[in-house]
Amino acid sequence: MQTIPFPDPGRPDTRSTTRFMLWVARKQWRTQLLGMFAGMAWMLAIALVPAAVGKGVDDGIVPGDLGGLLRWALVLIGLGATCAATAAIRHYFAVYNWLFASYRGAQLTAQGAERAGPALTRTMPSGEVVAVFANDVMRLGGLYDVMGRFSGAVVSYAVVGAILLAASPALGWLVLLGGPVMLASLSLIVRPLQRRQARQREEAGRLTTLGADTVAGLRVLRGIGGEQTFLRRYEEQSARVRERGFQVAGIQAALDSAEVLIPGIFVVLVTWLGAREAVAGQITAGQLVAFYGYTAFLTMPLQTAIEVVDRGIRAQIAAGKMLRVMAVQPDHDASRTGTAAVPADDADLVDPLSGTVVRGGLLTAIVSARPEDSASLADRLGRHGPGPHQTTWGGTRLDDLSIADVRRHIVVSEPDPRLFTGVLREQLLGDSARRSGVATDRDEGASNGGRPGAGADCEVMAALTTASALDVLDAVADGLDGTVEERGRSYSGGQRQRLALARALLTDAPVLVLVEPTSAVDTHTEARIAERLAEHRRGRTTVVTTVSPLLLGQADEVVLLEDGLAIATGTHRELLAHPAYRQIVNRAEEDDQ
């Protein structure tokens, strides 16, 4: 399928929602102008139809002039053809502008989310972020969809007012001044509606977050019998969303009814005044017919103006939510260049905060009675999380290296294995081809539809063997070409963890930090992984946070943490003489049994 390249959105103006919305409009000003010109021509063609009908009555029907009647009939046909052609063009640009504004907003929001990284979910609930992409980006685009009709409404309203003013000053001034006054009265509705819609949007975001958390943890909830508890929480939040929706509905109904009431008042007033003038002989029969047609037409620009107000409120709220995502500051400035050279691959890692020293080229295990202490140490070793980091690598502070260099050379594999939708091979390789030199094999496979070459598959199979994950391939019909479902839900927890381990191994990073890589596998599988991992990473720096005796037995060095501080270092056998270490390991063995 041919794809249309999406233009680079550039740097948005995020100082306010209004500036951001104007920036989006400027980015597509050409299609906006074309849509506005088409909208003007479309509505003007409709607006002139009553004038042509009135002329046909006065010049053809009343005097019995067949030629005059045919002449104005042809004018009506021309106006109808113009209306049909310009309506199609206007609709094309309306959809074009709607989609481009929506997806430009989605792209900018996605870039903001990518730039923020883990800081985003610490600042905003994940459900709120999902709601931005699911709803708000389309509401932003909806405003640009209606701008072509709005420009046509303004121009045609002024033209009709001028025509009425020339024929009847009273009617002309009624239209030219009365319409804006009535529309201005909508300000009494707009402010409360904006506040209530914003509150309803907040509650809906919380509901989305709660629903996503419940679905993600459904297996755990069933295991502990907590379905009813979360169901009640969901019902309570759903009730709050419904209550907010009721509050919005009243104001929204008032705005919707104004779309009928305001044009209806105009129809009554203009028709009444026109009929009085026709009876008094001040206007002709054709003009009276034209006046009635004008009043019927005026419902379109007035309803369009009210629709713009409604969509503008929704778009402003949506833009605010998108700007909130874009405003989240990342933990590290990815654009900042490093001030120091990257150390040698086998350089030592030192964490001054805990006193841990990870010697280069060795497999080091981190043991702690509190998993959060060892996880925090792993984050510091990989320069994850906010704030300055004092960790050094080969005597160089990680903060003095660019974040790109740190991510390229030090990889931290999180304890929660996250898999993404796509072909299994691609999910495992990811960017690892560029890290490890498999890129050559992938390039060789470009002539085969972009499929990685044999070398890449050999790397994948070696990593899967080390992670004892070959059984996952047996469970997938197409093996490496099989599709990973959302979050890898078709795999068990142990399979997902082993696939995540294989993915980390495929990075071939000089420094690899694994956080509890075997916590979800059985003892026999863990023993195989421990032995193969030590062999696979031999000569390269590897850090494993674990309390498993099987992994600890394969480590070159073990560091014992107590209250976040390194209190002992040695081999697994040597540290068994330490009471605190022995207690942690024995408890882990008892848990396995």
Side-chain angles (χ1 to χ4, degrees), residues 418-420 422-433 435-436 442 456-457 459-465 467 469-470 472-473 479-482 484 491 495-508:
R418 294 184 180 272
L419 300 177
F420 302 95
V423 178
L424 178 58
R425 178 189 289 102
E426 296 175 356
Q427 298 307 305
L428 293 175
L429 282 172
D431 290 336
S432 61
R435 296 174 183 267
S436 61
R442 292 173 67 88
D457 279 357
E459 295 282 349
V460 172
M461 296 304 292
L464 290 173
T465 300
L470 291 176
V472 178
L473 296 183
L480 290 176
D481 293 319
V484 179
Y491 304 126
Q495 288 176 324
R496 288 196 299 271
Q497 189 174 59
R498 285 178 284 151
L499 287 174
L501 174 59
R503 183 175 59 193
L505 292 173
L506 280 167
T507 64
D508 199 31

Side-chain angles (χ1 to χ4, degrees), residues 226-389:
E227 302 102 311
Q228 292 303 317
T229 300
F230 273 78
L231 179 60
R232 285 193 298 271
R233 289 178 56 190
Y234 191 86
E235 289 175 345
E236 292 170 358
Q237 183 61 31
S238 180
R240 284 191 285 270
V241 174
R242 183 177 64 248
E243 182 63 29
R244 294 295 187 187
F246 288 157
Q247 295 175 3
V248 171
I251 302 294
Q252 185 68 53
L255 184 62
D256 293 342
S257 63
E259 292 187 20
V260 179
L261 178 62
I262 293 178
I265 292 175
F266 261 76
V267 170
V268 172
L269 289 177
V270 174
T271 304
W272 178 69
L273 289 175
R276 284 176 59 88
E277 293 187 358
V279 170
Q282 298 176 357
I283 60 174
T284 66
Q287 286 178 315
L288 177 61
V289 172
F291 284 1
Y292 181 79
Y294 293 143
T295 58
F297 164 76
L298 287 176
T299 60
M300 288 182 62
L302 290 173
Q303 287 177 343
T304 301
I306 296 172
E307 184 182 359
V308 168
V309 172
D310 185 25
R311 293 203 183 190
I313 294 172
R314 296 174 183 269
Q316 190 169 28
I317 294 173
K321 297 298 180 182
M322 296 164 66
L323 290 180
R324 186 181 173 191
V325 174
M326 291 184 237
V328 176
Q329 295 300 314
D331 295 331
H332 312 285
D333 185 2
S335 63
R336 187 179 68 86
T337 58
T339 59
V342 177
D345 290 350
D346 59 352
D348 294 345
L349 269 170
V350 179
D351 175 46
L353 189 61
S354 65
T356 301
V357 177
V358 177
R359 291 200 291 162
L362 300 182
L363 173 59
T364 303
I366 308 296
V367 177
S368 175
R370 299 171 56 191
E372 57 269 25
D373 289 342
S374 54
S376 296
L377 172 59
D379 286 341
R380 294 196 297 272
L381 293 177
R383 195 181 160 189
H384 287 274
H389 295 76

Side-chain angles (χ1 to χ4, degrees), residues 1 19 47 55 70 77 191 201 232 260 264 300 325 330 349 356 378 404 436 440 572 587:
M1 179 182 294
R19 289 177 180 270
K55 285 291 186 180
L70 290 176
I77 293 174
R191 292 293 184 182
R201 174 64 182 76
R232 285 193 298 271
V260 179
M300 288 182 62
V325 174
L349 269 170
T356 301
S436 61
T440 303
H572 172 58
R587 186 167 67 243

Side-chain angles (χ1 to χ4, degrees), residues 483-559:
T483 301
V484 179
E485 297 182 8
E486 180 188 9
R487 294 192 177 189
R489 64 171 183 263
S490 60
Y491 304 126
S492 67
Q495 288 176 324
R496 288 196 299 271
Q497 189 174 59
R498 285 178 284 151
L499 287 174
L501 174 59
R503 183 175 59 193
L505 292 173
L506 280 167
T507 64
D508 199 31
V511 179
L512 181 61
V513 182
L514 304 172
V515 181
E516 301 290 347
T518 60
S519 58
V521 302
D522 59 74
T523 304
H524 297 291
T525 304
E526 187 175 35
R528 290 194 298 270
I529 293 175
E531 183 177 352
R532 295 170 182 174
L533 177 63
E535 182 61 31
H536 189 100
R537 293 286 302 177
R538 191 172 302 281
R540 284 169 293 179
T541 306
T542 308
V543 181
V544 180
T545 69
T546 183
V547 293
S548 167
L550 297 172
L551 282 172
L552 295 172
Q554 295 291 335
D556 298 310
E557 281 190 350
V558 179
V559 177

